[in-house]
């Protein structure tokens, strides 16, 4: 009797997150990496936080409009966590299980940096929220795009044109300096997961640095 070949479960996809300050080039570089992976025959899904599902996009609108700030940093963390929970369970986890690589523009490190290290939210609250929202689903690789603050803000301002700065873009230079240092600290504390990428220079040069980091890992 002919035996039916057992259906093999696809290998779990890789989970790569992009982190960094405002205007550091995350969205630009995520697109470039996706193109290269696609060309190499690797199925990829590009997504972002806050966002990635209709519910999470609605919450994105609330936090970036500045409404979250009125609630205070603790409750703002809950909004980011609610958005992340929906995104992880509906989009990220199923894609990884199907063997697709997920490239995510910001993830839990953003909450650690913006709400935790800069907003003084108790790390124990953030630990608890991470347990609920992401559990064991840690990124395989986090690319921290590092750029002098004035360069990042100039890029963000040029792109915005006459539009109003969002909730975090509107913070002063000192805030963005602390943000940069906080990301460097996270990278130092998680050397197995994080790679700091020099995000200065032409987009193509930054893309080459990212590609080498991805290939090395
Ligand atoms: N947040 C988010 C929290 O507080 N907690 C959380 O848990 C999470 C998930 C998200 C905000 O929410 C906060 C952090 C953020 O403040 P957002 O609009 O998604 O808001 O903001 P950012 O993630 O900061 O994204 P930006 O779009 O501002 O910056 P990117 O994606 O880093 O940069 P990008 O690629 O859009 O580039 C900006 C401009 O620079 C140009 C681009 O063409 C663009 O015009 N550019 C370059 N110019 C010259 N040389 C290069 N190498 C360039 N690369 C890009």
């Amino acid at each position: 009797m002919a035996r039916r070949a057992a259906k093999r479960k696809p290998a779990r996809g890789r989970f790569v997150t992009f982190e960094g300050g405002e205007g550091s080039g995350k969205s630009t570089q995520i697109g470039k990496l996706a193109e290269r992976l696609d060309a190499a025959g690797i199925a990829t899904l590009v997504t972002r936080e806050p966002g990635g599902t209709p519910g999470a996009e609605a919450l994105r609108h609330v936090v970036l409009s500045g409404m979250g700030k009125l609630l205070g940093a603790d409750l703002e963390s809950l909004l980011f966590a609610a958005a992340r929970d929906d995104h992880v369970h509906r989009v990220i986890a199923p894609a990884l299980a199907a063997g697709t690589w997920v490239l995510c523009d910001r993830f839990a490190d953003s909450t650690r940096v913006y709400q935790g290290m800069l907003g003084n939210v108790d790390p124990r609250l953030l630990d608890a929220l991470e347990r609920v929202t992401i559990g064991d689903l840690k990124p395989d690789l986090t690319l921290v795009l590092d750029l002098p603050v004035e360069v990042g803000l100039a890029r963000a301002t040029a792109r915005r044109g006459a539009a109003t700065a969002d909730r975090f873009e509107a913070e002063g230079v000192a805030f963005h300096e602390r943000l940069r240092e906080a990301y460097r600290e996270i990278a130092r504390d998680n050397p197995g997961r994080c790679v700091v990428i020099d995000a200065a220079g032409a987009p193509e040069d930054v893309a080459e640095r990212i590609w080498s980091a991805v290939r090395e890992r």
Side-chain angles (χ1 to χ4, degrees):
M1 194 169 66
R3 267 205 320 203
R4 249 201 345 210
K7 209 171 172 193
R8 227 194 269 149
K9 215 172 144 197
R12 178 188 177 277
R14 301 298 171 98
F15 184 25
V16 182
T17 57
F18 284 65
E19 296 279 358
E22 313 291 313
S24 55
K26 297 177 299 301
S27 314
T28 305
Q29 293 301 329
I30 216 166
K32 289 188 180 297
L33 179 59
E35 277 170 23
R36 275 186 115 144
L37 291 171
D38 281 343
I42 295 172
T44 56
L45 172 80
V46 172
T47 186
R48 70 172 180 184
E49 290 213 344
T53 64
E57 289 291 334
L59 288 169
R60 176 187 177 87
H61 178 70
V62 172
V63 280
L64 295 191
S65 70
M67 287 300 289
K69 189 177 184 181
L70 301 176
L71 301 172
D74 283 352
L75 293 182
E76 203 171 30
S77 305
L78 299 189
L79 294 178
F80 282 112
R84 180 159 305 129
D85 190 70
D86 199 43
H87 189 208
V88 164
H89 292 99
R90 288 181 196 273
V91 174
I92 299 178
L96 292 173
T100 302
W101 283 41
V102 175
L103 310 184
C104 190
D105 192 340
R106 296 194 179 280
F107 194 60
D109 290 321
S110 286
T111 308
R112 290 280 172 185
V113 166
Y114 283 77
Q115 283 67 52
M117 294 153 96
L118 278 82
N120 293 320
V121 173
D122 189 332
R124 288 169 303 179
L125 171 60
L126 300 183
D127 288 344
L129 291 173
E130 278 190 18
R131 272 199 303 281
V132 174
T133 56
I134 67 178
D136 294 332
L137 195 138
K138 299 267 188 297
D140 298 300
L141 173 64
T142 296
L143 299 160
V144 176
L145 271 57
D146 182 64
L147 192 65
V149 165
E150 59 280 9
V151 181
L153 288 178
R155 285 184 191 172
T157 307
R159 183 197 44 194
R160 193 169 64 239
T164 320
D166 74 26
R167 150 95 173 84
F168 294 99
E169 282 173 0
E171 297 279 359
V173 171
F175 172 93
H176 292 283
E177 292 287 4
R178 285 169 55 219
L179 189 67
R180 185 182 188 197
E181 189 40 48
Y183 269 120
R184 287 174 162 185
E185 195 178 320
I186 287 201
R188 274 195 301 274
D189 291 348
N190 298 275
R193 171 173 69 84
C194 298
V195 178
V196 176
I197 302 286
D198 175 5
E204 293 68 29
D205 296 338
V206 181
E208 275 313 313
R209 289 173 208 135
I210 287 178
W211 186 237
S212 327
V214 170
R215 285 172 61 129
E216 263 171 38
R217 299 282 166 138

